[in-house]
Structure formats: structure tokens, C-alpha cells
Amino acid sequence: MTEEEKIFVCLIFIPRSKELRDIKHKAHSACLRYNMKDEYDPERSLIIKGIIGGIGKKYYFQGPIQFNYGSHTFIGENFFANFNLTVMDDARIYIGDNVAFGPNVSLMATTHPLIASERIIVDENGDKVMTEYADEIHIGNNVWIACNVTVLGGVHIGNNVVIGAGSIVTKDIPDNYLAFGNPCRPIRLITETDSKKYLYLK
């Protein structure tokens, strides 16, 4: 079994293996090129297409961005990400349609064992290496994730959800909820009483 295959079945893997470093290097190099380009440069969207696992026709990343793998992330239609998006997509990340991220959002679909002797092992070459394991992140349709939010691996965020600023999302959030906090928790359903229609020009 390859190190990448181990990731996808939630087994311990060696992130510094050459196999995984080569995949990540492609994404890291692409992010570097993306971040150096002007925001009106049409090549930016092509760079994203070249590294991402899948994405809809309409999307915008303000930048700077940092994907760990890129190829493990799948994004729907009409996506927007503000400044400083970090995507640790060791495990696969699935993002639905009409999703918006505020500044400084981090998707962290990987972690390390807590026990030191499991986190630091000796590989077949006799070298000490750090281990990881990873779990997927699923984000539904019509979701707004506000600024400075961190979403951890294993989390499912439902449709029509709003995650408040500064939250750390460690557990699933059901459809149609406003959720916030550290740890993030569902606070209440979003209802018509939240309408801001009166702010539209008539």
C-alpha cells in the first residue's frame, strides 16, 4: 500500500516520504506562482485548475493561498475564498456549491498521534520520522465560513450553515444552523427573522 493510499483509509502515514513530498511539491510550487501574480491575471485560475482535484466553472481565490496537496480537494460551483486560505488536504476535502470563506480560514484534514512513541518512529532506514493520520472534511452547499475559522478533520458541515468568526470546528454542524465558538457548536436555526431584505435598495 502506498503512503497516499494509507491516507485515504485513515491509517498512519509518513508525510515526509518522497512519494508524498513529490505530490505536495507540485501544489506548493503552484501556490507560490499563484501568490506572486496580480489578482487580475487570468493565469491565476489556470494554476488552480492544474492542482485541484476538481472545481466548478466559477470560483475566485483572493490569495495568498496554500494547499498542501491540492489534488485531494474537490470544490463545487461558485466558490469564493478571501485572503490567507490554508488547506491541509492530506485527507480529501469536499466543498459544495455557493460556499464563501472569510479571511484566514484553515481547513486542517490531518493530525498527529498524541502518544510520542507513535508520533515519532524509526523508519526502515533507521531515521526518526514524524507520523500523521487524516480524516476527511465535508462542507455542504450555501455555506458561509467567516474570518479566522479553523475546521478540523472528520467534520461534516451541513447545507445553509454559517460559521461565526474565530470558531474552531471540531464536530459536525447540522443543516441551517448558525454555529460559533471554541469549540464551535450549533447555536440556533437560521430563520426568516434573520432577514436583511430591508437593506436592499428599492
Side-chain angles (χ1 to χ4, degrees):
M1 181 177 287
T2 68
E3 293 299 307
E4 187 176 32
E5 288 170 342
K6 290 177 185 176
I7 295 174
F8 298 148
V9 292
C10 295
L11 293 175
I12 293 288
F13 64 94
I14 308 299
R16 294 299 296 165
S17 66
K18 185 171 188 308
E19 171 202 343
L20 296 184
R21 283 190 291 117
D22 286 347
I23 300 170
K24 290 185 283 188
H25 181 257
K26 179 182 177 184
H28 300 170
S29 297
C31 290
L32 181 63
R33 294 196 310 276
Y34 187 94
N35 295 334
M36 292 175 66
K37 290 191 175 297
D38 184 84
E39 61 188 80
Y40 285 166
D41 190 326
E43 190 180 340
R44 285 177 114 209
S45 62
L46 299 177
I47 292 172
I48 293 290
K49 281 275 191 185
I51 61 164
I52 205 83
I55 196 164
K57 293 180 181 178
K58 185 178 180 183
Y59 54 90
Y60 183 78
F61 297 79
Q62 177 62 51
I65 59 171
Q66 187 64 48
F67 283 86
N68 205 26
Y69 287 80
S71 57
H72 296 174
T73 296
F74 302 84
I75 301 174
E77 189 61 56
N78 194 33
F79 176 76
F80 174 83
N82 215 311
F83 299 101
N84 296 320
L85 174 64
T86 299
V87 182
M88 292 294 291
D89 56 344
D90 294 57
R92 293 185 177 107
I93 294 176
Y94 298 94
I95 299 170
D97 298 334
N98 308 310
V99 172
F101 290 170
N104 303 312
V105 166
S106 296
L107 307 180
M108 309 302 287
T110 191
T111 190
H112 300 280
L114 295 179
I115 297 173
S117 61
E118 297 175 2
R119 185 172 62 251
I120 306 158
I121 65 170
V122 177
D123 68 10
E124 65 274 6
N125 299 319
D127 297 321
K128 286 187 177 180
V129 295
M130 191 80 74
T131 66
E132 294 182 27
Y133 63 99
D135 202 356
E136 294 179 350
I137 292 172
H138 292 255
I139 297 171
N141 299 319
N142 312 316
V143 172
W144 170 29
I145 296 181
C147 63
N148 299 310
V149 169
T150 299
V151 181
L152 300 187
V155 164
H156 287 62
I157 295 174
N159 298 319
N160 311 311
V161 166
V162 175
I163 305 292
S167 297
I168 299 181
V169 189
T170 62
K171 294 186 178 177
D172 294 356
I173 305 297
D175 292 352
N176 306 308
Y177 264 83
L178 169 64
F180 55 80
N182 180 10
C184 186
R185 65 190 190 282
I187 302 299
R188 61 175 175 82
L189 284 166
I190 298 169
T191 70
E192 281 301 311
T193 62
D194 295 302
S195 175
K196 292 293 185 285
K197 287 180 181 177
Y198 65 88
L199 296 177
Y200 284 95
L201 285 173
K202 295 180 181 179

